[in-house]
């Protein structure tokens, strides 16, 4: 049987090129080698999203994103966290093996505490218990499926360490019940720059969206910051924010030719932006159509997600049964 790789996609709105290149594309490639599981942690999002419609919409958007980009639901398993009740039961069991000190040291929790202290507020102000125990629910997401590999960005590395810690503590008490997962740190750790050269991120307002209508893609492309070198001057392609995106989307020969043109002189930024825009359209216009079609047919999306949840629960049930047996609760 193939080993299991699991990826979660936060329901946080329409993706940008940074998400695509840094996370979505690599996650889809996992299905070639592993039994790949893809889920949307919608109950996790309840720690911060308090609008019912918004939470549901964002969850559909995340599912449609993966499917539009080529996830084949007959190969990969795609599901909503909230469709798997076993996750929440396991989370309780795991919480009894998680020391409070371990969660106190979580970077994500500490960052909010630090913000509170810096602003002169009480240190746990506005921190709900869901936010505090977030890593326990994440551990349940992973351990419930006997996951072997979890691809993570550097930001999630510590959460995975917590998962391993909790699983090892559990196994120390009961024997080899839980599979200890390994982090696969996305090694390129390539950070895609946004249109201002800083890391592309919604919080910097510097993103190029992948599923937005063409005019909303063209606008940020035109605003990509460049230096003021004239076309005939030689330029360093590795210093150029247009090339930083172009090189990940164009084919190898085109990238080589472009690199040469930068170095030798003769490249003008205006036409280069137009070329990048054309490349974005060629890469994403079909996918955007598929995304829009899925978002207009939520019944179809629900069906795909429900089918995925059934498959996921088939994997989960025997593992949860092992946990129940190990701890001595009702079978
Ligand atoms: P976020 O919703 O910002 O946490 O992004 C989700 C994931 O997308 C991150 O964990 C990264 O793997 C990836 N990602 C986001 N922004 C970028 C970027 N500018 N460059 C590369 N990868 C990114």
């Amino acid at each position: 049987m193939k080993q299991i790789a699991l990826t979660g996609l936060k329901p946080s709105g329409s993706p940008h090129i940074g998400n695509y290149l840094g996370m979505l594309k690599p996650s889809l490639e996992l299905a070639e080698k592993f039994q790949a599981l893809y889920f949307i942690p919608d109950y996790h999002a309840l720690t911060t999203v308090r609008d019912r419609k918004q939470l549901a919409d964002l969850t559909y958007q995340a599912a449609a994103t993966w499917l539009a980009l080529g996830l084949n639901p007959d190969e990969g398993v795609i599901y909503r966290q909230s469709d798997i009740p076993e996750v929440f039961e396991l989370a309780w069991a795991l919480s009894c093996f998680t020391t409070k000190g371990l969660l106190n040291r979580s970077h994500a929790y500490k960052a909010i505490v630090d913000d509170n202290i810096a602003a002169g507020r009480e240190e746990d102000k506005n921190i709900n218990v869901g936010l505090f125990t977030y890593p326990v629910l994440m551990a349940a997401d992973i351990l419930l499926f006997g996951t072997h590999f979890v691809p993570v960005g550097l930001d999630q590395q510590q959460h995975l360490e917590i998962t391993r810690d909790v699983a090892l503590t559990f196994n120390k008490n009961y024997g080899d019940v839980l599979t200890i997962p390994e982090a696969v740190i996305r090694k390129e750790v390539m950070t895609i720059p946004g249109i201002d050269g800083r890391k592309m991120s919604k919080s910097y307002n510097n993103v190029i969206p992948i599923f937005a209508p063409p005019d909303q893609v063209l606008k940020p492309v035109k605003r990509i910051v460049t230096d003021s070198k004239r076309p005939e001057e030689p330029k360093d392609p590795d210093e150029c924010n247009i090339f930083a995106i172009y090189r990940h989307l164009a084919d190898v020969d085109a990238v080589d030719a472009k690199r040469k043109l930068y170095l030798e002189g003769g490249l003008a930024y205006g036409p280069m932006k137009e070329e990048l825009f054309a490349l974005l359209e060629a890469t994403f216009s079909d996918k955007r159509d598929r995304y829009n079609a899925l978002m207009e047919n939520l019944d179809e999306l629900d069906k795909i997600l429900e089918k995925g949840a059934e498959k996921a629960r088939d994997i989960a049930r025997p593992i949860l049964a092992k946990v129940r047996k190990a701890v001595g609760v009702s079978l």
Side-chain angles (χ1 to χ4, degrees):
M1 222 176 87
K2 281 185 181 169
Q3 291 187 303
I4 291 186
L6 176 134
T7 312
L9 177 60
K10 267 194 293 189
S12 60
S14 199
H16 54 70
I17 296 285
N19 300 135
Y20 174 71
L21 292 169
M23 187 255 180
L24 295 164
K25 193 162 168 262
S27 76
L28 291 168
E29 287 161 3
L30 291 169
E32 293 161 16
K33 245 175 90 186
F34 300 101
Q35 168 62 68
L37 307 186
Y38 303 91
F39 78 105
I40 302 125
D42 51 350
Y43 250 135
H44 260 128
L46 187 60
T47 57
T48 52
V49 182
R50 291 296 155 77
D51 180 302
R52 170 190 323 131
K53 185 167 178 332
Q54 192 192 6
L55 183 60
D57 278 353
L58 291 172
T59 303
Y60 282 126
Q61 284 175 28
T65 293
W66 259 327
L67 293 164
L69 292 175
L71 191 158
N72 174 355
D74 294 325
E75 277 177 15
V77 180
I78 178 169
Y79 57 94
R80 277 178 290 232
Q81 181 187 42
S82 61
D83 282 332
I84 317 289
E86 290 81 2
V87 169
F88 307 95
E89 182 179 336
L90 182 61
W92 170 259
L94 295 176
S95 74
C96 299
F97 293 83
T98 310
T99 61
K100 183 164 172 289
L102 189 64
L103 298 183
N104 282 342
R105 291 190 290 277
S106 151
H107 295 321
Y109 166 68
K110 269 176 33 189
I112 316 176
V113 169
D114 289 348
D115 281 351
N116 277 336
I117 292 171
R121 293 186 291 258
E122 190 260 315
E123 65 174 43
D124 279 330
K125 176 99 181 156
N126 290 333
I127 300 181
N128 60 64
V129 175
L131 260 177
F132 182 66
T133 60
Y134 194 106
V136 180
L137 186 53
M138 178 167 159
D141 288 329
I142 297 167
L143 299 172
L144 182 62
F145 300 97
T147 303
H148 300 94
F149 297 106
V150 186
V152 286
L154 285 174
D155 50 336
Q156 288 294 327
Q157 204 178 348
Q158 191 204 23
H159 281 159
L160 200 77
E161 277 307 315
I162 296 177
T163 298
R164 287 169 56 90
D165 248 50
V166 173
L168 287 166
T169 307
F170 189 93
N171 281 359
K172 206 166 153 205
N173 204 72
Y174 298 111
D176 248 351
V177 177
L178 300 170
T179 301
I180 310 298
E182 270 174 49
V184 182
I185 309 296
R186 288 190 202 97
K187 52 180 178 304
E188 312 88 322
V189 191
M190 53 175 183
T191 300
I192 306 298
I195 60 171
D196 58 358
R198 291 186 294 172
K199 177 183 167 169
M200 188 178 289
S201 165
K202 275 189 197 133
S203 45
Y204 293 145
N205 211 2
N206 64 356
V207 308
I208 299 175
I210 62 175
F211 294 137
D215 60 319
Q216 287 175 37
V217 176
L218 181 59
K219 229 156 97 191
V221 168
K222 281 196 166 155
R223 285 175 39 227
I224 295 177
V225 176
T226 60
D227 58 31
S228 51
K229 287 203 172 90
R230 283 169 292 124
E232 59 276 19
E233 286 181 74
K235 306 170 184 69
D236 180 356
D238 297 322
E239 293 287 309
C240 177
N241 295 325
I242 315 168
F243 189 76
I245 297 167
Y246 179 90
R247 75 187 183 91
H248 291 293
L249 298 172
D251 64 51
V252 184
D253 290 344
V255 173
D256 282 350
K258 204 59 82 183
R259 183 178 281 283
K260 211 160 150 242
L261 196 61
Y262 269 88
L263 293 169
E264 289 175 354
L267 180 130
Y269 291 128
M272 182 63 196
K273 287 180 179 178
E274 276 162 31
E275 221 174 303
L276 174 63
F277 173 66
L279 186 58
L280 289 167
E281 276 301 290
T283 310
F284 294 111
S285 68
D286 287 356
K287 297 176 167 73
R288 176 174 58 219
D289 292 346
R290 170 127 176 82
Y291 177 85
N292 290 333
L294 284 163
M295 288 305 291
E296 275 159 29
N297 191 352
L298 298 183
D299 287 345
E300 162 84 12
L301 210 40
D302 271 326
K303 270 195 208 121
I304 296 172
L305 291 171
E306 279 158 23
K307 234 171 112 181
E310 270 318 305
K311 287 194 218 165
R313 293 184 74 190
D314 284 345
I315 305 174
R317 279 193 201 99
I319 294 174
L320 186 64
K322 263 168 76 181
V323 169
R324 283 179 154 240
K325 190 162 176 229
V327 302
V329 298
S330 158
L331 291 178

